[in-house]
Structures are given as structure tokens and as C-alpha cells.
């Protein structure tokens, strides 16, 4: 029961946090509301496409290997975003 509850919380967390993150981007980096919307849309679209892509083969692969690859990919994406000079 606790795992199901935790999954429910984690599943909706990006939708709850996204307005705060986009508001911070707009305030800190001087983005327009339109640019903030594009960032939010790209984030959600990428998550959706990744979910669709992974669902085809996730049952055939080792879950630990998938989780490790995802962590490496997330880390590289965040490092790339941190090093980006502009949007």
C-alpha cells in the first residue's frame, strides 16, 4: 500500500512543481512567459516520448541497467543545461 501511495505522489510531482520551476526561470533569467511555456512543453513532451519509447522494451531488459542508464542520461542532461550560455 505504501508503494502505491508513493508512486501516486511521484507520478504527479512534475505537474505540481512545473509552475514553480517555470516561474523561477522567468524571474531569474528574464525569460518571457512564452519562452517559459516552451520550456515546460519541451519537458513534458520529452517525458511523454521517453515513456512511449521505453515501454516497448522495458519488460525485456534488466531494470537496474535501465535505471542506471536513466541516471547517467539525467546527469548529463543537467550538466549540459547548467553549462548552457543561453536558451
Amino acid at each position: 500500500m505504501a508503494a502505491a501511495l508513493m508512486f501516486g505522489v511521484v507520478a504527479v510531482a512534475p505537474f505540481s512543481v512545473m509552475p514553480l520551476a517555470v516561474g523561477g526561470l522567468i524571474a531569474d533569467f528574464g525569460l518571457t512567459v512564452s519562452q517559459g511555456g516552451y520550456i515546460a512543453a519541451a519537458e513534458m513532451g520529452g517525458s511523454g516520448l521517453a515513456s512511449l519509447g521505453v515501454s516497448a522494451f522495458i519488460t525485456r531488459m534488466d531494470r537496474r541497467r535501465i535505471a542506471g542508464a536513466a541516471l547517467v542520461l539525467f546527469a548529463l542532461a543537467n550538466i549540459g543545461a547548467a553549462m548552457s550560455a543561453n536558451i
Side-chain angles (χ1 to χ4, degrees), residues 16-79:
S16 301
V17 176
M18 184 62 68
L20 298 172
V22 171
L25 287 171
I26 290 170
D28 291 346
F29 295 105
L31 301 178
T32 65
V33 174
S34 179
Q35 289 172 323
Y38 287 136
I39 290 171
E43 169 110 18
M44 292 298 167
S47 295
L49 289 174
S51 296
L52 289 173
V54 168
S55 66
F57 66 87
I58 196 165
T59 57
R60 291 182 252 151
M61 292 185 68
D62 180 30
R63 290 186 179 131
R64 287 185 184 191
R65 188 173 246 179
I66 292 172
L71 286 174
V72 169
L73 181 63
F74 293 155
L76 291 174
N78 282 314
I79 290 168

Side-chain angles (χ1 to χ4, degrees), residues 1-12:
M1 181 68 172
L5 179 64
M6 196 62 167
F7 179 74
V9 170
V10 171
V12 298

